[in-house]
Amino acid sequence: MYTAKFLPEIELRKTKLQNAMKNAEADAMLISSNTNLFYTSGRIFCGYTYIPVEGEILFFVRRPVDLKGDNVIYIRKPEDIPAIMHERGINMPQKLLLEDDVLTYNERIRLATIFTNATFDNSSQIIRNVRAIKTPYEIELIRESAAKHASMYHRIPAEYKDGMSDTEFSIELERLARLHGSLGIVRIFGSSMEIYMGSLLSGDNADTPSPYDFALGGAGLNSSLPIGCNGAMIRPGTTVMVDIGGNFTGYMSDLSRVFSLGEIPELAQNAHHVALQIQDAIIEKGKPGVPVAELYELALNTAKQAGLEEYFMGHRQHAGFIGHGVGIELNEKPVLAPRSKEILEENMVFALEPKFVIPHVGAVGIENTLLVTKTGIEKITHCPEEIIPLD
């Protein structure tokens, strides 16, 4: 199942998960979501990862048919698992952790009828807590994604052609991302959170409220996916915010930059400058042990002092956060929100995105991916941060 390179990494992850299970007084964890299958195996397959509180991980696989390894066991259905465990002399768990945040009701009931003697608890938050602290292996993959992401963003102005609509521009940027190695999908934690490769917001469309818990909205091209570009022409005197996700390695980076067509009002220019001030202040203050709610308050107070609270993190609809964890998914821990109880820890990775929406002009602001180090914050997405003209 594992490559030689991944073997030391999976041992480290197994230890972290087993320690978390011991703290939860659980006997085992059963995983079936794509995100956590990837985390526990280094690949996505159809089936289950079974992690006992002690001993080796087992992979109960339905598809694909060519996986090999002593711990790879092919099954036709999950009901096959108890008999296989009995044959191998593995005790059935008395307390089993399931991904209750992502399992459907029917899946949950089915697993409960298979592990008949077990009590169940939710593993989702336990796994999220473990995944929040990145290993050196994961950090290198995020750095690689960030470097390719930034390289792609450096080339954005050259893709704009006079008379483009936001959709036409977005298509060219999505193509550019794929040419740089993007896997073409953005994974997001959270129910009913949908997006393709990211969003491009131009002019008034940036002020269109979204049903999703994103920093900014956009009407989208169809009511079945109401987010991002809406087909409008990019007009002089407006901004274009590009927020295309960076998934180049299976690990995400997050990056937003602002472009303009012609002169934009002083209010928008000033708001962008304040967003950069917020970013710098948070980078200066952030370090292990700092509550993320304090970072949110710092951002909000800076916006208030500048007289820009009305436009901060939206205008018609405001987002209640200024940043989120980054890893296999977006919206991992920590979430920089006013009521969050989370504390920064070394090797957390998060995206910081102080943004403003100026009516009839568009969105301004910044988003970068940041790493929490022993002593502070390191920015790992590097490309120009000023508003860049398209003409």
Side-chain angles (χ1 to χ4, degrees):
M1 174 68 86
Y2 311 128
T3 64
K5 182 180 180 181
F6 192 68
L7 186 57
E9 175 67 12
I10 193 58
E11 288 298 318
L12 178 56
R13 297 184 191 187
K14 181 182 74 171
T15 298
K16 291 171 66 176
L17 289 167
Q18 288 178 330
N19 287 339
M21 277 190 280
K22 289 175 184 176
N23 291 335
E25 298 181 340
D27 299 308
M29 179 183 295
L30 189 70
I31 287 167
S32 59
S33 69
N34 280 353
T35 299
N36 288 325
L37 288 174
F38 181 63
Y39 183 73
T40 56
S41 71
R43 63 168 300 136
I44 288 176
F45 60 93
C46 177
Y48 303 88
T49 298
Y50 181 85
I51 308 175
V53 70
E54 293 181 351
E56 297 306 311
I57 296 175
L58 297 177
F59 301 104
F60 295 103
V61 180
R62 296 178 64 193
R63 294 183 297 272
V65 297
D66 58 349
L67 300 183
K68 295 178 174 61
D70 293 339
N71 55 354
V72 175
I73 304 163
Y74 275 88
I75 60 172
R76 187 174 63 86
K77 55 187 179 180
E79 285 79 3
D80 298 338
I81 293 174
I84 294 170
M85 292 177 64
H86 179 73
E87 290 172 6
R88 292 192 168 217
I90 300 171
N91 292 329
M92 294 292 287
Q94 297 300 303
K95 182 177 179 181
L96 180 63
L97 302 179
L98 300 175
E99 299 169 285
D100 283 344
D101 284 9
V102 294
L103 285 175
T104 66
Y105 175 80
N106 285 338
E107 289 170 331
R108 181 64 159 73
I109 295 300
R110 185 176 187 180
L111 292 173
T113 62
I114 294 169
F115 295 90
T116 54
N117 295 323
T119 60
F120 301 94
D121 206 343
N122 187 7
S123 69
S124 295
Q125 291 305 312
I126 292 172
I127 301 172
R128 276 173 63 79
N129 288 338
V130 168
R131 282 174 38 203
I133 310 301
K134 272 51 180 186
T135 66
Y137 176 92
E138 292 178 289
I139 290 170
E140 284 308 306
L141 288 175
I142 295 172
R143 287 187 186 279
E144 181 182 343
S145 188
K148 292 179 178 179
H149 202 179
S151 178
M152 169 248 168
Y153 265 61
H154 278 286
R155 292 163 174 76
I156 285 176
E159 299 299 319
Y160 177 76
K161 302 294 185 293
D162 187 45
M164 271 185 166
S165 69
D166 58 359
T167 305
E168 291 169 328
F169 195 23
S170 182
I171 289 168
E172 294 306 313
L173 300 190
E174 290 165 17
R175 176 180 178 273
L176 182 64
R178 293 305 302 269
L179 289 174
H180 278 74
S182 170
L183 302 182
I185 184 173
V186 175
R187 286 197 168 94
I188 305 174
F189 176 83
S191 60
S192 298
M193 297 280 275
E194 299 174 311
I195 198 168
Y196 177 45
M197 291 180 69
S199 66
L200 184 149
L201 295 170
S202 174
D204 272 332
N205 189 41
D207 206 11
T208 303
S210 166
Y212 306 125
D213 190 18
F214 295 153
L216 300 179
L221 295 171
N222 185 279
S223 58
S224 71
L225 189 62
I227 189 75
C229 59
N230 66 348
M233 299 298 295
I234 299 173
R235 302 192 180 281
T238 63
T239 64
V240 179
M241 176 171 280
V242 178
D243 187 2
I244 291 179
N247 183 2
F248 297 86
T249 63
Y251 278 79
M252 304 294 302
S253 54
D254 215 358
L255 182 62
S256 296
R257 291 296 185 267
V258 177
F259 304 84
S260 66
L261 189 62
E263 290 294 320
I264 61 172
E266 185 177 348
L267 175 62
Q269 297 179 42
N270 182 49
H272 188 79
H273 178 68
V274 172
L276 297 180
Q277 287 180 326
I278 291 171
Q279 174 187 244
D280 292 345
I282 287 177
I283 289 175
E284 182 177 354
K285 182 179 177 63
K287 61 182 178 180
V290 172
V292 299
E294 291 184 8
L295 301 180
Y296 177 88
E297 289 302 319
L298 173 60
L300 180 59
N301 288 336
T302 303
K304 287 180 177 178
Q305 291 167 9
L308 295 169
E309 182 182 7
E310 176 185 356
Y311 313 109
F312 184 53
M313 300 305 292
H315 174 244
R316 293 170 61 193
Q317 177 175 295
H318 297 267
F321 64 93
I322 56 155
H324 55 82
V326 172
I328 298 171
E329 298 174 302
L330 302 183
N331 290 354
E332 293 192 358
K333 291 189 173 185
V335 177
L336 280 66
R339 290 179 296 277
S340 174
K341 303 299 183 185
E342 293 165 356
I343 308 294
L344 289 186
E345 297 183 53
E346 183 182 358
N347 292 335
M348 282 182 166
V349 179
F350 66 95
L352 177 64
E353 50 176 322
K355 296 173 180 176
F356 296 85
V357 174
I358 309 302
H360 312 304
V361 179
V364 295
I366 194 73
E367 182 174 23
N368 279 304
T369 302
L370 309 178
L371 169 66
V372 183
T373 68
K374 287 183 179 180
T375 57
I377 300 288
E378 178 191 350
K379 187 187 300 180
I380 59 175
T381 42
H382 300 283
C383 54
E385 298 185 349
E386 69 274 9
I387 298 175
I388 300 171
L390 292 173
D391 51 355

